[in-house]
Amino acid sequence: MWIFSPHSYQILDVNSAVIEQFGYTRDELGQMNVLDLLTDAESTLRASESDPSEISARSVLVFKSGLRCKSGYSIDVEVSARHLLRGD
C-alpha cells in the first residue's frame, strides 16, 4: 500500500510490502511520484477516465496498469485508490 498526493502524485508513504515487491528503498520512493512508476502513465490515466485529485471521500478509482520495479521489470497490477482524510 502506498499513500500519494492526489495533486502532485508525490509518494508520501509506503508499507514494507511495496519496498520488498518493487526493490526501491523508502527514501527512493519518497523522491518519486506515482507517474515515475507507471509503465505508460498517460495511457493509464486516460483509461481510468478519472483524475485522482477529483476522487471524492466516498468514491474509489480502479484501473489496471503496469508498475516499474527498480530492476526494470514491470508488474501488472490493479490499482484501487480512494481519498483519505488526515486522521483516517
Side-chain angles (χ1 to χ4, degrees), residues 2 4 12 17-18 27 30 39 43 47-48 68 74-77 86:
W2 36 22
F4 68 93
L12 304 174
V18 171
D27 289 338
T39 56
S43 293
S48 73
R68 190 174 298 108
S74 176
I75 299 173
D76 291 330
V77 297
R86 291 183 188 247

Side-chain angles (χ1 to χ4, degrees), residues 54-61 81-85 88:
E54 296 176 3
I55 298 173
S56 73
R58 295 193 177 131
S59 67
V60 176
L61 171 64
R82 74 176 187 98
H83 184 84
L84 293 177
L85 299 175
D88 277 358

Side-chain angles (χ1 to χ4, degrees), residues 14-84:
V14 297
N15 66 9
S16 59
V18 171
I19 293 168
E20 289 178 34
Q21 185 76 34
F22 293 95
Y24 295 100
T25 66
R26 188 176 306 277
D27 289 338
E28 288 171 324
L29 288 165
Q31 298 299 313
M32 303 171 86
N33 70 46
V34 174
L35 302 180
D36 295 329
L37 298 174
L38 293 173
T39 56
D40 188 358
E42 185 177 330
S43 293
T44 297
L45 292 176
R46 192 177 324 111
S48 73
E49 298 178 0
S50 183
D51 179 344
S53 66
E54 296 176 3
I55 298 173
S56 73
R58 295 193 177 131
S59 67
V60 176
L61 171 64
V62 178
F63 61 92
K64 293 182 180 182
S65 180
L67 293 176
R68 190 174 298 108
C69 297
K70 186 173 183 176
S71 67
Y73 183 75
S74 176
I75 299 173
D76 291 330
V77 297
E78 181 173 277
V79 177
S80 174
R82 74 176 187 98
H83 184 84
L84 293 177

